Amino acid sequence: MALQLQLKLLVTIIALSSTSSIQALRSADYRDALSKSILFYEGMRSGKLPSKQRAKWRGDSALNDGQAQNVVLRGGYVDSGDNVKFGFPMAFTITMLSWSVIESGKQLKRAGELQNARDAIRWGTDYLLRAYKPPNTLWVQVGDPYSDHQCWERPEDMDTPRNAYKIDQSAPGSDVAAETAAALAAASIVFQYAKPEYSRQLLNASKQVFDFADKFRGSYSDALGGVVSPFYTSYSGYRDELLWGAAWLYRATGDGKYLQYIGLHQNELGGPWTSYSTLSWDNKYAGVDVLLAKVFLGGNQNWLAAYKDRADDFVCSAMPGRARLTPGGLFYQGTNNLQYATSNAFLLITYAGYLSSAKQSVRCGGGGSNFKPNELITFAKRQIDYILGNNPRKMSYMVGFGAKFPQHVHHRGSSLPSIHAQPQRISCKDGFNWLHTPNPNPNLLIGAVVGGPDQNDNYADNRDDYSQSEPSTYINAGLVGALAYFT
């Protein structure tokens, strides 16, 4: 009982601090941050840029990707501050962006950002469709990460090897394939009414890719080895992605065979017996639990009750009491930490909505506190407000938002002179002069959220410290949905 009172008190304290932040951050501020969080993706584009490109300092890049393999792989997104296109985090980014639109489409429309969000998703899904060659080939990476990391050059100047890497039935990668299936299925919901023919194309490809992922099982980290590791090693294996892909296909189709698949394979795939305190590009179990908890809360699928229990476990592990927090109240999981804070905030908001609709709450076992849906929202808001400037350093961790934000972002294109300002090529090695300069980045990567502060709320605005100063596409993906909610 004493522990429960302590936890309730802590949540109350956070709620009070959040109340004060409401005065500091108005609805218009969240709308501004939302707009910038989507604009960020235009600075991360690869390929032939459209005429309506808003990040004007960028230019066309990597137009010949896939040419050596006789496949068209232009387009898509680079993952972070380098120039490699990693398919695993890219697909996760599209899944989360799509989920954000699915849950907050009305808010995005009111904010005038729905079409921009759809454009950001389609830039990724068009690439994923090109990367899949039915029935059993998926191109999952373009660029040699080792040679790329030996250079500091603009994407428009890039001359490092653009090797393309694939998975197939002889070198399977169920994790990246099932994540791609999830991305295409989630995106099909986004375009269901706006672009019905395109939506059907996405859904048909999703079904095929999922069948490939399930039929030829294996981890892409094992198939491709040092090409993807240690950069995006699938540490959790492929079991979570198979559940994730099936859950999204059920959400997109309503076809009971995907629920049946989950029921038949859940024991071997680790659910619902595995719970985690965060959702990430590597580990999808918390996302699976929330998706399937929604189905359970809707009734008629009592066998899914265990997923509601696991979703509750996620909340209990991610909320004050069990979660590791910085002194300033930020959820802390490890380096490049804001990827976890943004994904968790979105997941808490989303699950709170499902719970509210079913008039349910979160139950924590082991003598822990229980949480009402509004308490999840309150804590999620505290995370978003922290990112936007309500933190001990009184700085925003989103580039271009607020009076004080990161100036030395670990991002090649942003840190080097724009191709339009300095058309002369900047060589691989000469670029390091800009990496190590104390001067601010010449091009603002508007909307980029960096890796963020350490466990003690310390942040060194240092371009060389990629663990803190590097942005990533998946940091922003859940943030879009959270910001849309608070507009």
Side-chain angles (χ1 to χ4, degrees):
M1 181 63 72
L3 177 60
Q4 288 182 335
L5 289 173
Q6 287 177 335
L7 293 176
K8 287 290 185 184
L9 178 60
L10 182 54
V11 170
T12 302
I13 291 170
I14 289 175
L16 290 172
S17 69
S18 183
T19 302
S20 66
S21 72
I22 291 173
Q23 299 170 354
L25 289 170
R26 303 163 301 157
S27 178
D29 295 320
Y30 294 115
R31 203 155 46 242
D32 180 35
L34 171 64
S35 176
K36 289 172 178 173
S37 71
I38 298 170
L39 176 59
F40 157 72
Y41 287 99
E42 297 194 17
M44 303 295 284
R45 283 172 169 169
S46 180
K48 178 72 175 175
L49 300 182
S51 58
K52 61 179 181 178
Q53 170 82 6
R54 295 177 295 165
K56 298 296 185 183
W57 52 272
R58 283 296 320 279
D60 298 340
S61 63
L63 298 179
N64 296 320
D65 278 0
Q67 189 175 70
Q69 290 77 25
N70 199 30
V71 59
V72 177
L73 294 174
R74 76 170 65 96
Y77 293 106
V78 298
D79 68 309
S80 298
D82 53 30
N83 293 319
V84 181
K85 293 192 292 201
F86 292 97
F88 195 23
M90 190 195 307
F92 176 68
T93 295
I94 300 306
T95 307
M96 293 298 290
L97 269 178
S98 297
W99 199 359
S100 291
V101 173
I102 291 166
E103 300 296 340
S104 299
K106 290 181 180 178
Q107 293 95 324
L108 283 160
K109 186 175 182 179
R110 282 199 298 268
E113 292 296 334
L114 180 57
Q115 188 56 52
N116 288 329
R118 285 177 179 154
D119 289 346
I121 292 167
R122 184 156 186 172
W123 195 265
T125 51
D126 282 353
Y127 173 83
L128 294 177
L129 289 173
R130 287 193 289 270
Y132 176 55
K133 304 301 175 188
N136 300 323
T137 299
L138 179 66
W139 295 89
V140 298
Q141 185 170 313
V142 182
D144 171 43
Y146 296 97
S147 59
D148 180 272
H149 290 178
Q150 292 299 312
C151 288
W152 194 264
E153 57 187 353
R154 301 177 294 201
E156 297 86 357
D157 288 333
M158 185 171 40
D159 58 359
T160 51
R162 298 300 286 175
N163 302 340
Y165 304 92
K166 66 180 180 179
I167 56 169
D168 55 27
Q169 61 193 61
S170 61
S174 302
D175 29 31
V176 65
E179 181 60 68
T180 301
L184 296 172
S188 76
I189 302 173
V190 171
F191 292 102
Q192 185 173 8
Y193 300 110
K195 298 283 184 182
E197 185 175 343
Y198 185 64
S199 174
R200 287 190 292 271
Q201 182 185 5
L202 293 171
L203 190 55
N204 289 335
S206 173
K207 294 174 182 178
Q208 291 178 283
V209 179
F210 182 78
D211 289 344
F212 163 50
D214 185 47
K215 184 176 181 180
F216 301 101
R217 293 192 182 183
S219 172
Y220 94 129
S221 302
D222 296 331
L224 298 178
V227 170
V228 298
S229 297
F231 310 101
Y232 287 102
T233 304
S234 182
Y235 294 104
S236 68
Y238 59 79
R239 300 182 305 162
D240 52 327
E241 278 84 19
L242 286 174
L243 290 172
W244 178 243
W248 271 112
L249 275 163
Y250 177 72
R251 180 80 177 259
T253 65
D255 190 334
K257 77 175 185 180
Y258 293 108
L259 274 189
Q260 184 180 24
Y261 173 92
I262 291 168
L264 287 172
H265 297 285
Q266 61 182 357
N267 289 338
E268 64 178 295
L269 297 179
W273 322 119
T274 310
S275 61
Y276 290 88
S277 62
T278 191
L279 170 65
S280 71
W281 60 262
D282 176 41
N283 195 312
K284 317 298 164 32
Y285 281 117
V288 170
D289 295 337
V290 169
L291 281 175
L292 295 180
K294 174 181 169 60
V295 180
F296 166 74
L297 291 168
N300 302 321
Q301 296 291 346
N302 290 336
W303 66 275
L304 292 173
Y307 288 96
K308 199 272 182 183
D309 293 340
R310 294 291 77 74
D312 285 0
D313 284 347
F314 155 73
V315 172
C316 300
S317 298
M319 290 285 285
R322 294 188 193 173
R324 182 184 179 187
L325 305 180
T326 69
L330 179 68
F331 177 86
Y332 191 81
Q333 185 77 7
T335 57
N336 195 13
N337 183 65
L338 291 186
Q339 63 173 306
Y340 307 113
T342 56
S343 291
N344 274 21
F346 172 75
L347 210 54
L348 289 171
I349 292 166
T350 301
Y351 190 41
Y354 299 164
L355 290 168
S356 293
S357 296
K359 295 181 170 51
Q360 294 283 326
S361 60
V362 171
R363 296 177 307 223
C364 298
S369 178
N370 297 330
F371 296 104
K372 296 178 182 178
N374 67 297
E375 293 176 295
L376 277 60
I377 303 280
T378 295
F379 184 65
K381 185 180 184 301
R382 177 69 187 93
Q383 303 305 291
I384 300 305
D385 289 354
Y386 183 109
I387 293 168
L388 296 181
N390 190 0
N391 57 63
R393 296 188 65 84
K394 309 241 182 294
M395 69 174 291
S396 162
Y397 291 105
M398 175 184 284
V399 175
F401 182 86
K404 181 182 179 183
F405 53 83
Q407 301 290 324
H408 304 86
V409 179
H410 185 95
H411 185 273
R412 284 161 173 76
S414 172
S415 66
L416 291 156
S418 167
I419 191 75
H420 306 300
Q422 184 172 323
Q424 299 85 3
R425 183 177 177 277
I426 300 172
S427 72
C428 163
K429 299 304 180 185
D430 286 345
F432 283 103
N433 294 325
W434 278 271
L435 169 63
H436 302 304
T437 180
N439 297 330
N441 285 21
N443 310 303
L444 284 183
L445 186 59
I446 298 291
V449 176
V450 295
D454 66 15
Q455 67 270 27
N456 296 313
D457 300 302
N458 296 317
Y459 180 78
D461 191 5
N462 180 1
R463 200 178 292 111
D464 284 297
D465 186 355
Y466 60 85
S467 68
Q468 289 197 329
S469 65
E470 187 170 22
S472 297
T473 56
Y474 41 87
I475 297 179
N476 278 49
L479 180 65
V480 168
L483 288 170
Y485 179 87
F486 291 121
T487 62

